[in-house]
Amino acid sequence: MRIEDYALIGDMQSAALVARDGSIDWLCLPRFDSPACFASLLGSERNGHWWLGPTGRRPAARRRYRPDTLILESEWDTPTGTVRVIDFMPPRDKNPDVVRIVEGVSGTVEMSTVVRVRFDYGRIVPWVRRSDGHLQAVGGPDSVWLHAPVPLRGGDYAHRATFTIKEGQRLPFVFTWHPSHEPMPPQIACEQQLAETEAFWAEWVDRCAYDGPYRDAVTRSLITLKALTYAPTGGIVAAPTTSLPEDLGGVRNWDYRFCWLRDATLTLDALISSGYLEEAADWRAWLLRAIAGRPQDLQIMYGVAGERRLPELRLDWLDGYEDSRPVRIGNEAVKQLQLDVYGEVMNSLFVARERGLSPDDRAWAIQRQLLDYVTEHWDEPDEGLWEVRGPRRHFVHSKVMCWVALDRAVKYVERFGRTGPVEKWRALRDTVHAEICDKGFDATRNTFTQSYGSAELDAALLMLPMVGFLPIDDPRMTGTVAAIEKELMSEGFVLRYPLAEDNDVDGLPGGEGAFLACSFWLVEVMAMQGRKDEAKNLFERLLSLRNDVGLLAEEYDPRYHRLVGNFPQAFSHVPLVHAARALSL
């Protein structure tokens, strides 16, 4: 299956990817970052999957989410009838459940299912036993139960069944995880859980403040972002997958199942602007726990509960998606210095306060500590928002976000009555601004550049007017936008930065696709410039890249006309929401 052939289901603690042919090929339990028990997405079927569909295995004729929910419905037409499979994960009480209801729509259809459970990312073949007609698979700390309405026969380290579904019949399958040392959890009432899950999502979407012309795209993106929120703590993961390649067959394969401060703050901005202040309060509480301590110990990412150690490992027993190796878990970028995150955090908390989030003295105390760090280290080189694995540089975007951190601190004092060395912050804010305009701007070409003294461009420069660094009609911004449109576009989409043999900015071999967030940023900038028709055309081209159920990966590769990178990607859906709002003004 292509990346765009998958749909997402989840319970706001974990998530599964369901292929168009009815196979669940990726599922980590009990958390987003737990070892996968279905990992065929990154290997073969022998690394674990659960297929359910008409005998003969074919793609569904059509599929959709139930309106304003995360409940997936896939339908197959066969010579003897039509069948529907309803996939969802109920918002969790204690144990995670994956529910698959087979519904006969018309006629009679022969169905088949194959279940291969493989714990630890496809490495552990579990011990399986039957109990009262149900299957239990155990391997180390993990145990799962499969409650099936039809007999399952074992063989070749898998379990299979063939059965017939008639019009009007509904047969529920339930897959439940629990710690192996605990007894079997109670079996859920599937139809009741379906109704409650539908009601949960419908009520949540009903709170959405956006009512513009792109409501369907916006609400689908917001549902996706909510699904990437880890409910127990308020943390927000960047994506539910690891190692889906940015370059098919290449090495640009990273684990995104963690909480990047940058991604989370941008996600929060999208939720807040759409009327979801409760998520902002939960995330602020998560943030205060995660970053508590010395400001110099701030990390760019954390685990969903605030874990700080995220060692990067390679899973050599997995072949990788379309032979894209290595498969990685953990992320070595956790050790990087990325100065822009300080600005992202300060801006997000400022926006949340503006929208009505209650004041918090502890939050301001920690923000003061972060500002002390920015004051002392803003002039250092860093790895930047793209997490380059090449040498550190004075990235212009990083410096601008340091300016944002200082600017929002000043505004906190001015608007909310907070105390702090505001004159010092104002003076440093002006110093940072002046240095960026001096060292980060190429007057000959009339454009800001990726880093001090470099000739390369960077799509992140599109964010300068969005954060208020310069007015949109400043000639320097006009020149920068024009240069990006001229030099960083590929088949009408925006690349992050130029990749060439003589440019070692990211320290990695191979190429990549167009980073979708960058193109959405261009939409927003075009709208700010008054180029509404151009902005609308680009936005609708971007919407056409979504898969059939409205999801986006990290990138689109014009070479193969395919989505690439981890999926679905928060960093793609967030700017979609902002761009839609910009076009609706």
Side-chain angles (χ1 to χ4, degrees), residues 15-41:
L17 292 189
V18 185
R20 191 186 296 270
D21 68 352
S23 181
I24 296 179
D25 292 340
W26 182 253
L27 175 61
C28 300
L29 294 174
R31 304 193 333 180
F32 291 109
D33 56 352
S34 297
C37 58
F38 297 145
S40 65
L41 179 69

Side-chain angles (χ1 to χ4, degrees), residues 224-463:
T224 303
L225 296 174
K226 177 66 172 176
L228 298 179
T229 301
Y230 185 67
T233 65
I236 303 170
V237 299
T241 56
T242 179
S243 299
L244 288 180
E246 298 168 11
D247 182 24
L248 294 173
V251 301
R252 297 171 181 264
N253 318 313
W254 316 109
D255 193 346
Y256 276 16
R257 299 170 300 153
F258 306 115
C259 302
W260 270 256
L261 295 187
R262 177 190 310 105
D263 295 52
T265 55
L266 294 173
T267 298
L268 209 60
D269 287 345
L271 290 168
I272 291 171
S273 67
S274 302
Y276 295 100
L277 201 60
E278 180 181 331
E279 283 72 12
D282 291 342
W283 181 83
R284 184 175 67 180
W286 172 87
L287 175 71
L288 297 179
R289 294 190 301 269
I291 70 175
R294 301 183 305 169
Q296 61 264 39
D297 295 332
L298 180 78
Q299 297 181 179
I300 65 166
M301 73 179 86
Y302 297 85
V304 294
E307 296 88 350
R308 300 190 179 196
R309 295 183 60 195
L310 309 173
E312 186 173 299
L313 304 173
R314 298 186 176 194
L315 306 186
D316 295 333
W317 61 87
L318 292 174
D319 292 333
Y321 180 85
E322 295 196 13
D323 296 321
S324 302
R325 290 187 289 268
V327 171
R328 295 180 173 95
I329 59 171
N331 202 306
E332 196 69 22
V334 70
K335 301 176 182 178
Q336 290 189 353
L337 174 65
Q338 297 178 20
L339 291 168
D340 68 293
V341 299
Y342 295 87
E344 301 287 4
V345 170
M346 287 295 297
N347 183 66
S348 183
L349 292 175
F350 175 76
V351 171
R353 282 286 288 116
E354 275 199 318
R355 294 299 178 97
L357 187 65
S358 61
D360 187 296
D361 292 340
R362 180 169 170 245
W364 179 244
I366 290 180
Q367 288 172 265
R368 287 277 307 268
Q369 289 189 352
L370 298 182
L371 287 163
D372 289 343
Y373 187 82
V374 171
T375 300
E376 296 173 6
H377 298 277
W378 72 270
D379 57 351
E380 296 178 6
D382 72 341
E383 279 89 0
L385 86 162
W386 302 129
E387 300 182 352
V388 300
R389 300 205 174 190
R392 288 183 176 180
R393 302 185 181 205
H394 291 281
F395 287 102
V396 169
H397 174 263
S398 295
K399 305 301 185 191
V400 168
M401 295 311 295
C402 288
W403 175 88
V404 168
L406 295 162
D407 180 72
R408 302 317 187 253
V410 170
K411 291 177 178 175
Y412 252 102
V413 174
E414 294 173 343
R415 300 187 188 182
F416 306 130
R418 288 296 183 180
T419 59
V422 66
E423 294 303 327
K424 176 183 177 181
W425 291 338
R426 283 198 186 102
L428 184 56
R429 178 182 64 178
D430 294 342
T431 297
V432 175
H433 196 284
E435 180 181 292
I436 294 168
C437 293
D438 177 40
K439 296 183 179 181
F441 183 75
D442 184 339
T444 303
R445 297 163 61 206
N446 191 33
T447 181
F448 285 95
T449 59
Q450 184 178 57
S451 59
Y452 289 176
S454 72
E456 292 84 12
L457 298 177
D458 192 316
L461 300 171
L462 292 168
M463 299 187 73

Side-chain angles (χ1 to χ4, degrees), residues 57-362:
R57 195 158 183 174
R58 71 204 71 168
R62 56 198 162 272
R63 59 181 182 168
R64 63 160 196 162
Y65 285 113
R66 286 192 178 181
D68 294 342
T69 76
L70 201 63
I71 299 169
L72 179 69
E73 295 185 337
S74 306
E75 291 185 354
W76 288 262
D77 298 322
T78 75
T80 59
T82 297
V83 65
R84 177 183 300 129
V85 175
I86 304 167
D87 290 315
F88 68 101
M89 294 178 69
R92 194 179 305 183
D93 180 16
K94 179 180 179 181
N95 300 105
D97 298 293
V98 177
V99 181
R100 316 193 74 180
I101 299 175
V102 181
E103 179 183 10
V105 177
S106 65
T108 301
V109 180
E110 183 181 84
M111 300 288 290
S112 295
T113 188
V114 180
V115 184
R116 284 188 177 89
V117 179
R118 297 291 184 270
F119 296 122
D120 194 22
Y121 301 102
R123 190 174 65 91
I124 296 176
V125 179
W127 174 72
V128 180
R129 72 181 181 97
R130 297 181 188 273
S131 177
D132 296 328
H134 307 292
L135 288 181
Q136 181 192 27
V138 178
D142 299 295
S143 176
V144 296
W145 288 87
L146 179 59
H147 305 287
V150 297
L152 295 164
R153 64 185 186 280
D156 191 27
Y157 299 101
H159 284 78
R160 299 174 172 81
T162 299
F163 58 97
T164 299
I165 187 81
K166 298 179 181 178
E167 180 178 343
Q169 279 188 305
R170 291 167 70 95
L171 299 178
F173 294 73
V174 182
F175 184 91
T176 304
W177 179 95
H178 68 100
S180 59
H181 64 275
E182 294 183 359
M184 182 179 80
Q187 192 172 349
I188 65 172
C190 295
E191 297 293 347
Q192 177 183 341
Q193 288 295 318
L194 175 61
E196 291 179 1
T197 300
E198 185 166 16
F200 167 86
W201 284 109
E203 185 278 330
W204 189 83
V205 171
D206 191 54
R207 292 160 46 200
C208 179
Y210 176 83
D211 192 29
Y214 301 105
R215 187 182 185 279
D216 288 346
V218 168
T219 55
R220 179 51 50 198
S221 290
L222 291 172
I223 289 170
T224 303
L225 296 174
K226 177 66 172 176
L228 298 179
T229 301
Y230 185 67
T233 65
I236 303 170
V237 299
T241 56
T242 179
S243 299
L244 288 180
E246 298 168 11
D247 182 24
L248 294 173
V251 301
R252 297 171 181 264
N253 318 313
W254 316 109
D255 193 346
Y256 276 16
R257 299 170 300 153
F258 306 115
C259 302
W260 270 256
L261 295 187
R262 177 190 310 105
D263 295 52
T265 55
L266 294 173
T267 298
L268 209 60
D269 287 345
L271 290 168
I272 291 171
S273 67
S274 302
Y276 295 100
L277 201 60
E278 180 181 331
E279 283 72 12
D282 291 342
W283 181 83
R284 184 175 67 180
W286 172 87
L287 175 71
L288 297 179
R289 294 190 301 269
I291 70 175
R294 301 183 305 169
Q296 61 264 39
D297 295 332
L298 180 78
Q299 297 181 179
I300 65 166
M301 73 179 86
Y302 297 85
V304 294
E307 296 88 350
R308 300 190 179 196
R309 295 183 60 195
L310 309 173
E312 186 173 299
L313 304 173
R314 298 186 176 194
L315 306 186
D316 295 333
W317 61 87
L318 292 174
D319 292 333
Y321 180 85
E322 295 196 13
D323 296 321
S324 302
R325 290 187 289 268
V327 171
R328 295 180 173 95
I329 59 171
N331 202 306
E332 196 69 22
V334 70
K335 301 176 182 178
Q336 290 189 353
L337 174 65
Q338 297 178 20
L339 291 168
D340 68 293
V341 299
Y342 295 87
E344 301 287 4
V345 170
M346 287 295 297
N347 183 66
S348 183
L349 292 175
F350 175 76
V351 171
R353 282 286 288 116
E354 275 199 318
R355 294 299 178 97
L357 187 65
S358 61
D360 187 296
D361 292 340
R362 180 169 170 245

